[in-house]
Amino acid sequence: MTHFEREIFDQPRILTGLLRSDGILEAANALKGRDVRFVSTVARGSSGNAATFFAYLVSSVLGLPTGTVAPSLHSVHGVTPRANGGLAVGVSQSGRSEDVLLALRAYREGGAATLAVSNDKESPLAAASDWHLAQGAGEELAVAATKTFTTQMMALALLVAHWSESAELQAALEAVPAAMSALLERHDDLAGPAVRLTHATDLWVLARGLNYVSAAEAALKVKETSYVETQTYSTAEVLHGPVAAIELNTPVLLFGLADATRESNLVTARRVRELGADLTVVSSDKELLGLATTAVPLPAGLHPATETFLHVLAGQLLALRLVGERGYDPDAPRNLSKVTHTV
């Protein structure tokens, strides 16, 4: 068994432990006492995808404006933002990404409260922050992040649940480990889509809303491990120009939640099928699954936050099966190392 596979399958256990984190609750309680007016996130790679998930939750649950920071503004150009009333959130599994660290320090100098998420409580990023959320994922040996990604998602989502005092969101997150365990028992469901993509040279990956993170992360995992060129779009954004490049048998992977984004997903699914695309759908929605060339059904009736974790896991499993079909080693992807240093 590869490290990549082992770490995918270890996620329910690790996430169960993270649900009991006192540090996340302490940070959330501290934030309740502050007049936070906006949130800025800074991250790269998979950590950037986790930050996107967090930003959507913050805006939808807490109603706070959120934005993604371009690290180069601070690490290259030396800008100090006017950030009074803000919360800057830096996300890095190693806690040693220089550009993320420099950006977080700049926001702190500009008057923002700072919070970090990393897998190392002794990291420079943790030291530069008012609060640090420890992922508790243990050492990740695979280069392509899996368990460190979902623990970032969970830590940040728990922060929002406690900060907003949302019992609904808290319950949804509590349901994640069991739901993921059930999907892992059905991992062979991803064999069909993986075989269909074995000879693909490109892949379009679509989703929308809270679930956009699933498309972005699946695209990254496939690109990192199987070297397939991927394009990630919102199911709304893809219709504003990019759809012109879809043609007969273009492989499209759509992650569709059964929430308020359902109608938009249906419109896009119908359009790409009209164009002759080879459409794989991961969803709990029967109508959306019915439009697929290949369907990966998920259990119905779950909270969107719970279901998003399942979509992320389905993307990981698809990448795992695909790299096996293509004969590559997911633990030794070319041109990559575990920690990437950029400024």
Side-chain angles (χ1 to χ4, degrees):
M1 180 182 287
T2 63
H3 295 311
F4 186 55
E5 181 177 3
R6 185 178 298 110
E7 289 165 1
I8 288 173
F9 278 76
D10 203 24
Q11 289 173 112
R13 178 189 65 81
I14 295 169
L15 292 174
T16 297
L18 188 56
L19 285 167
R20 306 290 172 254
S21 170
D22 291 333
I24 298 173
L25 180 59
E26 290 171 6
N29 286 337
L31 286 168
K32 290 177 190 176
R34 298 181 72 100
D35 182 22
V36 176
R37 300 178 185 179
F38 65 92
V39 177
S40 298
T41 64
V42 56
R44 296 283 195 193
S46 286
S47 297
N49 293 334
T52 296
F53 173 72
F54 168 68
Y56 205 91
L57 278 177
V58 168
S59 292
S60 60
V61 176
L62 287 161
L64 290 172
T66 61
T68 300
V69 174
S72 60
L73 284 171
H74 315 291
S75 62
V76 175
H77 298 289
V79 173
T80 298
R82 292 184 292 176
N84 287 320
L87 172 67
V89 179
V91 189
S92 165
Q93 73 86 19
S94 69
R96 287 171 170 77
S97 296
E98 294 98 326
D99 46 2
V100 174
L101 178 60
L102 290 170
L104 203 67
R105 285 174 175 167
Y107 265 80
R108 193 173 199 176
E109 291 173 10
T114 54
L115 181 143
V117 182
S118 83
N119 201 35
D120 181 1
K121 63 182 180 181
E122 304 299 329
S123 68
L125 194 66
S129 305
D130 296 315
W131 305 283
H132 176 251
L133 308 187
Q135 297 173 220
E139 184 181 7
E140 188 170 57
L141 299 175
V143 174
T146 55
K147 65 178 183 176
T148 56
F149 174 67
T150 52
T151 51
Q152 287 173 345
M153 283 180 62
M154 180 62 80
L156 289 164
L158 283 169
L159 179 73
V160 174
H162 292 313
W163 187 2
S164 64
E165 299 182 341
S166 171
E168 181 183 8
L169 180 56
Q170 179 70 37
L173 299 174
E174 294 274 356
V176 166
M180 290 179 76
S181 292
L183 181 56
L184 286 168
E185 292 176 359
R186 299 172 39 218
H187 64 91
D188 285 341
D189 290 359
L190 277 298
V195 169
R196 296 185 71 88
L197 292 172
T198 301
H199 302 293
T201 57
D202 68 321
L203 174 65
W204 295 54
V205 193
L206 312 178
R208 192 174 185 188
L210 182 65
N211 200 37
Y212 182 79
V213 64
S214 302
E217 187 62 14
L220 181 58
K221 292 288 95 72
V222 168
K223 185 178 292 186
E224 287 177 319
T225 58
S226 287
Y227 320 131
V228 176
E229 179 61 34
T230 57
Q231 303 179 71
T232 308
Y233 293 104
S234 156
T235 52
E237 187 64 32
V238 73
L239 299 181
H240 288 264
V243 70
I246 292 179
E247 54 191 9
L248 185 65
N249 295 324
T250 297
V252 178
L253 173 61
L254 192 156
F255 294 92
L257 286 183
D259 67 352
T261 62
R262 175 180 178 273
E263 291 303 319
S264 174
N265 291 333
L266 284 168
V267 168
T268 299
R270 293 187 186 109
R271 181 61 179 142
V272 299
R273 287 293 279 145
E274 288 172 0
L275 297 171
D278 186 349
L279 177 64
T280 298
V281 173
V282 179
S283 183
S284 64
D285 185 77
K286 290 184 178 179
E287 188 173 358
L288 194 55
L289 291 166
L291 294 170
T293 310
T294 304
V296 181
L298 296 178
L302 297 176
H303 187 282
T306 311
E307 190 175 345
T308 295
F309 276 88
L310 293 190
H311 285 251
V312 168
L313 177 57
Q316 294 174 349
L317 289 169
L318 176 61
L320 174 66
R321 296 302 293 254
L322 181 59
V323 75
E325 293 289 339
R326 290 170 71 94
Y328 297 123
D329 180 359
D331 291 341
R334 66 192 186 200
N335 307 327
L336 294 177
S337 59
K338 186 60 187 170
V339 179
T340 302
H341 296 280
T342 55
V343 176

